[in-house]
Amino acid sequence: MYGYEEVAASMTGMSRARVARRIAAGAAYGGGGIGLAGAAAVGLLLAQAQLARRRVGNGTTPHVPTSDGLYGASYTVPGEPALRLTMLGDSTAAGQGVHRAGQTPGALLAAGVAAIAERPVGLSTVAVPGARSDDLDRQVGLALADPSRVPDICVIMVGANDVTHRMPATRSVRHLASAVRRLRTAGAEVVVGTCPDLGTIEPVQQPLRWMARRASRQLAAAQTIGVVEQGGRTVSLGDLLGPEFAANPRELFGPDSYHPSAEGYATAAMAVLPTVCAALGLWPAEEDRPDAARREGFLPVAQAAAEAASEAGTEVAAAMPTGPRGAWALLKRRRRRRVTESEPEPSAQPSP
């Protein structure tokens, strides 16, 4: 017999799965009426958001260290090109708020992939602070500007600004799915860090905090469906950054969005790195088999998306062709690998 808490959790998961599927379906078929919060709550939401910004906003120009360059140059082998990693999305992908290039998520991921692959990795960043999903079309254009230098792997982190600017979820997912489709068609692997749980931000008061959590988790689940259906993989960022926000709210609230500290970026990169390596074929084959002990397995994509949105660090990837119950996905809780700060080679450029 299930207890009350188990039943309630199951019902919440099913409800989130239904909402995510509706949002994703609206994105695919042109719907635009499914929002992230009720219209009656918009006034209260905006009023509390303004109060939160006044309380913790620092009013400074966003600082984003330049981290593009070659990582793992010592692994260079004549005639073997470097792997190419491109970061797309918002301030979280760009690394707003840290002081050194090696602290950005792009640098951490590039250094981590280089160490595991024992091969240099060229990093390029087209992500910009304040970006929403409707900027991804422009960013993808930059990433694919040179057909002879298509990235091997693209990491997208986006969604927080969509929630704070009340972009309709269907529109948000439509832009993200289109970006993933273009990148996959060009030959790049794609990993998306889904919308973080904005309900973990300490200075945000109720009921805004509850609404922010609900909206961001709904969007994260819908993002997962849209990404997986286009051949990408997702990793739930969820409340991974919650402790960072709670410990340093004044420092972590930027003029464009909420952004983490160096420790927060390291935590996010540590969660994303295994999925990036799996997408590149660098992870041990046995790691791709579901482990029942870690509650991994094959699920309808909407159910997998809902579960992932509730548990940070969870990966979702396409698993089977569409069947009577729709597309299926593999839900993985990969073991995280610690990543260490590494600066790019000062004058090195990614190999052609």
Side-chain angles (χ1 to χ4, degrees):
M1 295 290 291
Y2 286 104
Y4 172 79
E5 291 184 358
E6 287 81 2
V7 172
S10 176
M11 292 179 65
T12 300
M14 289 188 292
S15 174
R16 187 176 294 120
R18 285 195 296 267
V19 171
R21 170 52 69 190
R22 288 175 59 211
I23 293 172
Y29 298 109
I34 304 175
L36 291 171
V42 168
L44 177 61
L45 196 73
L46 292 177
Q48 286 212 0
Q50 290 170 357
L51 288 174
R53 285 181 181 274
R54 282 199 295 270
R55 177 179 172 186
V56 298
N58 53 34
T60 60
T61 301
H63 172 67
V64 181
T66 301
S67 56
D68 288 4
L70 194 67
Y71 292 77
S74 61
Y75 296 116
T76 299
V77 175
E80 183 177 346
L83 291 169
R84 299 190 186 98
L85 164 65
T86 299
M87 300 293 296
L88 303 92
D90 56 23
S91 57
T92 307
Q96 178 185 341
V98 295
H99 302 291
R100 297 193 300 271
Q103 297 172 325
T104 65
L108 293 167
L109 288 171
V113 171
I116 292 171
E118 296 187 345
R119 184 175 170 186
V121 175
L123 170 67
S124 62
T125 304
V126 296
V128 292
R132 289 169 279 187
S133 294
D134 55 5
D135 189 51
L136 289 176
D137 181 65
R138 182 191 65 83
Q139 294 183 25
V140 170
L142 294 174
L144 301 179
D146 185 349
S148 68
R149 298 175 61 84
V150 172
D152 295 287
I153 183 81
C154 292
V155 175
I156 303 174
M157 296 179 179
V158 75
N161 296 311
D162 296 19
V163 174
T164 59
H165 288 80
R166 297 185 295 122
M167 177 183 289
T170 48
R171 181 182 169 198
S172 176
V173 174
R174 187 180 307 129
H175 284 295
L176 177 59
S178 174
V180 174
R181 181 170 58 251
R182 288 179 62 193
L183 292 169
R184 293 291 293 130
T185 299
E189 298 290 340
V190 181
V191 173
V192 174
T194 56
C195 182
D197 184 353
L198 299 181
T200 62
I201 311 295
E202 282 293 326
V204 177
Q205 301 300 312
Q206 298 291 12
L208 178 59
R209 184 184 296 181
W210 176 85
M211 294 175 66
R213 167 169 285 118
R214 176 173 177 267
S216 52
R217 288 189 175 185
Q218 283 181 358
L219 179 57
Q223 284 178 319
T224 292
I225 296 174
V227 169
V228 169
E229 289 182 344
Q230 298 302 325
R233 304 180 187 223
T234 63
V235 178
S236 170
L237 297 184
D239 59 0
L240 274 178
L241 307 177
E244 300 299 319
F245 290 131
N248 304 293
R250 184 171 299 280
E251 298 172 6
L252 299 179
F253 192 107
D256 62 338
S257 161
Y258 309 98
H259 53 274
S261 65
E263 291 78 11
Y265 282 128
T267 300
M270 195 163 54
V272 173
L273 178 62
T275 299
V276 168
C277 290
L280 290 170
L282 302 174
W283 223 236
E286 58 270 19
E287 275 288 318
D288 282 327
R289 290 193 290 268
D291 185 345
R294 296 206 300 265
R295 294 178 292 114
E296 299 176 343
F298 299 98
L299 297 168
V301 66
Q303 185 179 341
E307 288 200 21
S310 300
E311 184 174 346
T314 305
E315 173 190 323
V316 180
M320 300 178 185
T322 301
R325 297 180 62 187
W328 282 67
L330 173 60
L331 185 144
K332 292 281 296 178
R333 295 175 172 86
R334 295 187 184 275
R335 295 184 177 88
R336 300 178 192 174
R337 294 288 184 93
R338 183 164 296 280
V339 291
T340 56
E341 182 178 335
S342 176
E343 299 294 331
E345 295 297 312
S347 60
Q349 295 298 322
S351 301

